């Protein structure tokens, strides 16, 4: 869902660049994403889980020192806290999608306000403050401070390593390696949907960011798409999904997500490559296979 379906910025921007209908892309992307998850993620995870043992990190385990006193929170309270950041973030991504398709005025004051609340750091900060209030009622403020302080250590290490991985990808993007690779691949003579997948894969491997790979590939092939007669609305949707599949595969050292997952689960680089990278690759390949099948059949 992260890479294939609006309102994620990558599919939205790619769909806009190649002229795909965003509403239809949402439907087709969801239909493709469900079996892609089952085959490329769930089944592969079962296979990998039998071969690698990764203990539950202490950050996610039970720790009496960091346990709140009193009655456990109500189910509705927990559900609210879990869903609140998703709802707030959707204000940003959802309104961006609506503005892209012209359904709303993207410069309206209320739109900018909700999009500001939906910025990820703002949404998470709001959720944190509400969680502290809802879950901390009846607890000693000093104890609450100790719990919050105890969360900083492991999270700061993850943020530092993740930031370093993202910065590495940023340096590669600034070097122009992505444009050089995509330019050399444009003249290979592959079928349009295969070329889109290969270019997106090369950009993903070269600079790490899935969103950059999505948008750059779409902008590179947009003139070819416009000059190709007979492409239906479904073809354009499958083309965006193929690009998204290529932008998902082979997450490695220049992808901040690689370091986030590896450090959060306390896996070394070799194990992360054998698990996370393999799963990301199977997800991307499965999505591309479904898109290619739809391109040929429909």
């Amino acid at each position: 869902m992260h890479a294939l379906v609006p309102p994620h910025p990558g599919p939205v921007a790619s769909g806009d660049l190649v002229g795909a209908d965003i509403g239809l892309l949402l439907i087709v992307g969801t239909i493709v994403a469900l079996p892609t998850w089952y085959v490329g993620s769930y089944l592969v995870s079962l296979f990998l889980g039998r071969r690698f043992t990764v203990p539950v990190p202490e950050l996610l385990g039970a720790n009496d020192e960091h346990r709140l006193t009193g009655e456990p929170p109500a189910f509705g309270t927990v559900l609210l806290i879990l869903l609140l950041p998703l709802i707030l973030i959707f204000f940003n991504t959802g309104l961006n999608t609506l503005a892209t398709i012209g359904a709303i005025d993207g410069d309206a004051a209320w739109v900018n306000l909700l999009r500001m609340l939906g910025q990820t750091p703002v949404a998470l900060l709001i959720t944190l403050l509400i969680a502290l209030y809802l879950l901390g009622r009846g607890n000693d403020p000093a104890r609450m401070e100790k719990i919050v302080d105890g969360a900083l250590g492991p999270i700061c290490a993850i943020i530092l390593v993740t930031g370093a991985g993202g910065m590495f990808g940023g340096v590669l993007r600034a070097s122009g390696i992505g444009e050089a690779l995509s330019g050399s691949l444009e003249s290979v003579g592959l079928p349009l949907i295969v070329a889109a997948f290969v270019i997106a894969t090369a950009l993903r491997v070269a600079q790490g960011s899935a969103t950059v790979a999505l948008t750059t590939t779409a902008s590179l092939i947009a003139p070819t798409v416009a000059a190709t007669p007979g492409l239906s609305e479904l073809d354009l949707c499958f083309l965006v999904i193929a690009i998204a599949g290529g932008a998902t595969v082979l997450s490695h050292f220049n992808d901040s997500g690689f370091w986030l997952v590896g450090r959060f689960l306390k896996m070394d680089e070799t194990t992360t490559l054998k698990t996370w990278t393999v799963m990301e690759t199977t997800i991307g390949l499965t999505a591309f296979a479904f898109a290619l099948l739809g391109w040929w059949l429909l």
Side-chain angles (χ1 to χ4, degrees), residues 136-151:
R137 287 179 297 183
N139 284 272
D140 180 23
R143 181 172 179 79
M144 291 295 298
E145 182 181 2
K146 185 177 181 181
I147 292 173
V148 174
D149 288 345

Side-chain angles (χ1 to χ4, degrees), residues 17 36 39 43 94 109 118 131 177 191 209 218 232 241 245 266 287 293:
L17 286 166
T36 295
V39 175
L43 293 182
I177 187 173
S209 170
S232 67
I241 292 171
K266 296 193 179 300
L293 187 63

Side-chain angles (χ1 to χ4, degrees), residues 18-259:
V18 302
D21 181 88
I22 299 298
L24 183 61
L25 178 60
L26 176 61
I27 296 172
V28 175
T30 302
I31 293 173
V32 172
L34 292 174
T36 295
W37 159 79
Y38 183 76
V39 175
S41 178
Y42 177 68
L43 293 182
V44 171
S45 296
L46 292 179
F47 174 80
L48 294 173
R50 291 191 290 267
R51 286 157 177 77
F52 298 93
T53 300
V54 179
V56 176
E58 182 181 342
L59 187 64
L60 299 178
N63 191 332
D64 291 333
E65 180 184 357
H66 294 158
R67 193 181 295 275
L68 292 171
T69 58
E71 291 294 323
F75 173 75
T77 302
V78 175
L79 190 63
L80 170 65
I81 293 171
L82 290 175
L83 293 180
L84 183 59
L86 302 180
I87 295 171
L88 291 174
I89 291 171
F90 186 77
F91 285 159
N92 182 30
T93 56
L95 291 173
N96 280 340
T97 301
L98 293 175
T100 299
I101 64 177
I104 61 173
D105 180 10
D107 295 324
W110 67 273
V111 173
N112 288 326
L113 175 61
L114 291 180
R115 287 167 67 175
M116 181 192 71
L117 295 178
Q119 293 291 331
T120 302
V122 177
L124 293 178
L125 177 61
I126 292 172
T127 305
L128 171 64
L129 296 175
I130 292 176
L132 286 173
Y133 171 74
L134 293 178
L135 302 180
R137 287 179 297 183
N139 284 272
D140 180 23
R143 181 172 179 79
M144 291 295 298
E145 182 181 2
K146 185 177 181 181
I147 292 173
V148 174
D149 288 345
L152 290 176
I155 292 299
C156 285
I158 293 172
I159 291 173
L160 285 172
V161 175
T162 302
M167 185 170 60
F168 178 42
V171 170
L172 292 177
R173 289 193 290 276
S175 71
I177 187 173
E179 288 79 1
L181 276 173
S182 57
S184 62
L185 287 170
E186 274 190 294
S187 58
V188 172
L190 294 170
L192 181 58
I193 191 170
V194 178
F197 174 79
V198 172
I199 292 172
T201 299
L203 290 171
R204 164 70 156 171
V205 173
Q207 49 77 40
S209 170
T211 302
V212 171
L214 269 159
T215 54
T216 304
T217 302
S219 64
L220 287 169
I221 68 167
T224 306
V225 172
T228 303
L231 293 179
S232 67
E233 289 293 339
L234 281 175
D235 288 334
L236 296 178
C237 291
F238 288 128
L239 189 62
V240 173
I241 292 171
I243 296 172
T248 302
V249 302
L250 296 172
S251 168
H252 64 100
F253 301 108
N254 59 8
D255 179 18
S256 58
F258 174 90
W259 295 104

Side-chain angles (χ1 to χ4, degrees), residues 262-282:
R263 287 298 175 266
F264 192 80
L265 296 178
K266 296 193 179 300
M267 297 187 295
D268 57 35
E269 288 79 6
T270 301
T271 304
T272 309
L273 285 169
K274 291 179 178 179
T275 53
W276 167 256
T277 302
V278 169
M279 188 187 71
E280 284 280 277
T281 303
T282 55

